[in-house]
Amino acid sequence: MSDSEARDVVGEYEAGWHDPETSTVRFDAGLSEQVVRDISELKNEPEWMTDIRVKAFHHFMKQPMPSWGNLEILNNIDFEAITYFLRSGNKTENDWDDVPEDIKRTFDRLGIPDAEQKWLGGVTAQYESEAVYHSIREDLEAQGVIFLDMDSGLKEHEDLVKEYFCKVVPYQDNKFSALNTAVWSGGSFIYVPKGVKVEMPVQAYFRINAKNMGQFERTLIIADEGSSIHYVEGCTAPTYSTESLHSAVVELIAHKDAHIRYSTVQNWSNNVYNLVTKRAIAHKNATVEWVDGNIGSKLTMKYPAVILKGEGSHAEVISVAYAGQGQHQDAGAKVHHLARNTTSKILSKSISKDGGRGSYRGMVTVAKKAENCKVNVVCDALILDEDSQSDTYPTMEISNPTCRSEHEASVSKVSDEQLFYLMSRGHTEDESMALIVNGFFEPFTRELPMEYAVELNKLMALEMEGSIG
Amino acid sequence: MSGEGVVEIRNLHVSIGDEAILNGIDLTMKKGEIHALMGRNGSGKSTLAKVLMGHPEYEVTEGSVTIDGEDILSLEPWERARLGVFLSFQYPQSVPGLQVGNFLRKSVAAIRGDNTPKAREFRKELKTCMDLLDVDKKFLGRYVNDGFSGGEKKRLEILQLMLLKPQLAVLDETDSGLDIDALRTVATGINSSVGNAACLIITHYQRILDHVNPDYVHVIVDGKIVASGGPELALKLEDKGYEWLGEERVAA
Ligand SMILES: Nc1ncnc2c1ncn2[C@@H]1O[C@H](COP(=O)(O)OP(=O)(O)OP(=O)(O)O)[C@@H](O)[C@H]1O
Ligand SMILES: [Mg+2]
């Protein structure tokens, strides 16, 4: 089913709202070993998972904050004030009336249907969307693809989860991966069997599955030998959240000759700290692509990573970030070339406006034994006004002399002549700005499924409105 | 765009900062007329072109510009464009990531408004224009002026002229940098679309005027039109240069 079809179906289910479920379990604010144990127990998890959670918790407690990034904002996070609650029913208990007016307006202007608006606003109503969910699942099941939320994944495929969980992103990796491991809930679990190529991007389901967008979601995707999958998460509409800390972990495993593409477009409301660890392992001749778009939030720190472990494997990370007023997008990519003949391409684009700050932080390493690797890094920044800021922190550690590497960086501004040219073709100043900005993002946008591309263009046009003067 | 199409420039004075660049331009143009404007480097030709289009950097200190009696100087560039003012730029700007096809469609929609052709008609119209200008279909997928050769840029300007159907067309050195064949092609494009417009062609050379026959030729010196005449004036300039004009002025 295409995205638009899925949306049509969502429309039909508009009448299917019913009262919030009351089975939500809520813990007091703050985190303790007991809270972590309670979460695990409530979910009826196997002991090994409880153990990992507890270990991760202790690691989180003793791990200091990162010593880099936007410390001013990071050090402001009050972990004690956060409620690490668990929802056994559906999403949060926000009231649609609490969703800020400007966000509701944006929904309207993006042409998002009422029902979906409410879901994106995090209202605790549940769709009668089981039918949709099932038809998609049946398609995939027929091919032997496992596609579940992470909690169900653990229940139904414990062996697989146990084999791969925390293997790509160990909880010791960083403070936030430790936190996620301790308290994770929701997220997706996908297994694609040998040789199975999932043709359509797997996305529709997630636009209607409220469980997906948790605060500490955990996603694990395993593509077995010769298989391929394109997973799409998020949406361009502003995702309103009353919970300020969102810390997800995504682990991808691409076995020999497999292909995984993971596309994200996120637009958090601007109270959110979005601190995400995304990492993939690529085995022999496998390809992993991260297509990552970040809009909104107060602070985003996200550096999708690929470990090129197998000979001939390939990594691609294409990311864009838009930092508006009071926002800091600290995004980039990491690639580790561990084997010979591995190749990587990083393209990072950021726009900052109204005092926003866009940072590129990248790291590429090539191991001593990794002969004949190719590295290509391009990062471009576009600054829309004097108050805004862009900075780059590229790191390359190349320990093998046969590596061919290229690195380009550019910072540009929109020139008056460029604007005048577009205005002379009948486009208002705002529209002209939107044409330039969407052009700048185009190398990213063209990689997205059509629906997302169109929405992103609309969203950026909205962002440019009434701002010039 | 059903008006008489009379463009009147009256005593136009323009400066940038403290520097006066145009010093009282007077020019009347009517629908269907082709006016050539010639003059030395730095004499103010592009300035006039950009001021007609509404470039924000220039300050009009005196004078008026009207189309069918309506003042256009108070309008924003996009409002002028929608009213039917078109400028073919001497140096067209590039917009990386914006595809030519998409840009043309959006510009046509912005300018022709209610008269915008439906997708299918538009494609047909586009194809006719592109064939006439001898541009490949691949052109549509490229980014606006990004990495274009000089000739390609000028072709895109004229393609826009053809699609946007203005009532005042100002072509700033559209001929410069074109090879002989390209010049002929571009001239065909210009001829096909200026029947309903008042057209101001800024050029340094007679050769484009062999293909696009001007009704009037004007010479600008130091921001002022000092001589006007028929096509023979351009030939005289080609022959004698601009020196004699200075002498005549001194003599006068
Ligand atoms: N933006 C500007 N800032 C400063 N000076 C300017 C600006 N635009 C034009 N001028 C000055 O005004 C004068 C006229 O320039 P203009 O570009 O109009 O000349 P032109 O007749 O088009 O010349 P050319 O034949 O070389 O294209 C020149 O002295 C130029 O330096
Ligand atoms: Mg000029």
Side-chain angles (χ1 to χ4, degrees), chain A residues 417 421 425-426 442 446, chain B residues 55 82 87 107 143 157 160:
Chain A
E417 294 305 318
Y421 183 69
R425 293 337 184 209
E442 200 268 354
R446 71 163 171 241
Chain B
H55 196 296
R82 292 173 189 183
L87 170 59
S107 300
Y143 298 151
E157 293 299 284
Q160 294 177 70

Side-chain angles (χ1 to χ4, degrees), chain A residues 417, chain B residues 16 19 21-22 39-48 50 57-58 90-91 172-173 202 204 220:
Chain A
E417 294 305 318
Chain B
I16 189 152
E19 199 185 340
I21 301 174
L22 299 184
R40 285 195 171 122
N41 295 133
S43 56
K45 302 180 299 297
S46 294
T47 301
L48 175 62
K50 286 191 252 179
E57 210 176 345
Y58 298 89
Q90 184 175 4
Y91 304 109
D172 192 358
E173 294 200 30
I202 295 169
H204 287 293
I220 180 173

Side-chain angles (χ1 to χ4, degrees), chain A residues 367-388:
Chain A
K368 218 177 189 160
K369 287 180 291 185
E371 294 280 320
N372 214 6
C373 295
K374 262 202 271 188
V375 177
N376 180 289
V377 180
V378 177
C379 42
D380 299 326
L382 184 66
I383 302 178
L384 298 190
D385 50 48
E386 300 296 316
D387 307 329
S388 304

Side-chain angles (χ1 to χ4, degrees), chain A residues 349 415-432 434-443 446 457, chain B residues 50 53-57 77-78 81-82 86-87 89 92-99 103 106-107 110-111 143-145 157 160:
Chain A
K349 296 193 150 249
S415 77
D416 291 343
E417 294 305 318
Q418 215 180 7
L419 276 175
F420 179 60
Y421 183 69
L422 294 171
M423 291 191 293
S424 79
R425 293 337 184 209
H427 308 289
T428 66
E429 201 161 359
D430 291 347
E431 289 164 358
S432 300
L435 288 174
I436 293 168
V437 160
N438 281 327
F440 182 76
F441 274 175
E442 200 268 354
R446 71 163 171 241
N457 281 339
Chain B
K50 286 191 252 179
M53 196 70 247
H55 196 296
E57 210 176 345
W78 63 89
R82 292 173 189 183
F86 177 84
L87 170 59
F89 284 68
Q93 295 289 310
S94 67
V95 188
L98 177 58
Q99 289 183 330
F103 173 55
K106 285 204 160 87
S107 300
I111 288 178
Y143 298 151
V144 173
N145 292 318
E157 293 299 284
Q160 294 177 70

Side-chain angles (χ1 to χ4, degrees), chain A residues 146-306:
Chain A
I146 301 168
F147 197 166
L148 296 166
D149 67 88
M150 192 65 194
D151 296 280
S152 309
L154 178 60
K155 278 201 182 68
E156 295 176 31
H157 302 275
E158 190 186 331
D159 289 351
L160 267 176
V161 174
K162 193 173 178 184
E163 188 179 343
Y164 292 102
F165 188 87
C166 257
K167 295 298 193 304
V168 186
V169 182
Y171 63 82
Q172 301 94 330
D173 190 79
N174 64 70
K175 191 170 177 77
F176 296 101
S177 67
L179 176 63
N180 175 282
T181 307
V183 299
W184 72 266
S185 212
S188 303
F189 173 72
I190 299 176
Y191 171 80
V192 190
K194 273 187 192 165
V196 171
K197 306 212 185 290
V198 180
E199 296 292 339
M200 52 158 204
V202 178
Q203 51 171 328
Y205 162 58
F206 285 94
R207 292 182 66 114
I208 50 171
N209 176 25
K211 274 188 199 157
N212 182 248
M213 237 182 248
Q215 192 178 0
F216 299 104
E217 60 190 61
R218 182 88 189 195
T219 288
L220 174 59
I221 300 178
I222 304 146
D224 216 329
E225 287 185 14
S227 71
S228 75
I229 182 159
H230 180 188
Y231 177 89
V232 187
E233 69 164 355
C235 68
T236 50
T239 306
Y240 176 66
S241 173
T242 46
E243 296 129 52
S244 62
L245 178 61
H246 284 252
S247 185
V249 169
V250 179
E251 298 178 279
L252 309 182
I253 297 102
H255 282 287
K256 184 167 167 279
D257 298 323
H259 186 153
I260 302 179
R261 168 179 281 216
Y262 191 108
S263 302
T264 305
V265 178
Q266 269 173 337
N267 183 8
W268 291 110
S269 49
N270 59 13
N271 57 325
V272 167
Y273 304 93
N274 186 30
L275 312 167
V276 176
T277 309
K278 288 178 157 179
R279 192 176 304 157
I281 284 193
H283 292 279
K284 193 173 175 183
N285 291 329
T287 295
V288 173
E289 297 163 315
W290 294 105
V291 178
D292 203 74
N294 298 294
I295 299 154
S297 83
K298 180 190 216 127
L299 171 66
T300 289
M301 291 175 71
K302 199 201 260 185
Y303 323 96
V306 184

Side-chain angles (χ1 to χ4, degrees), chain B residues 169-180:
Chain B
V170 182
L171 313 180
D172 192 358
E173 294 200 30
T174 298
D175 56 335
S176 55
L178 293 181
D179 65 43
I180 296 161

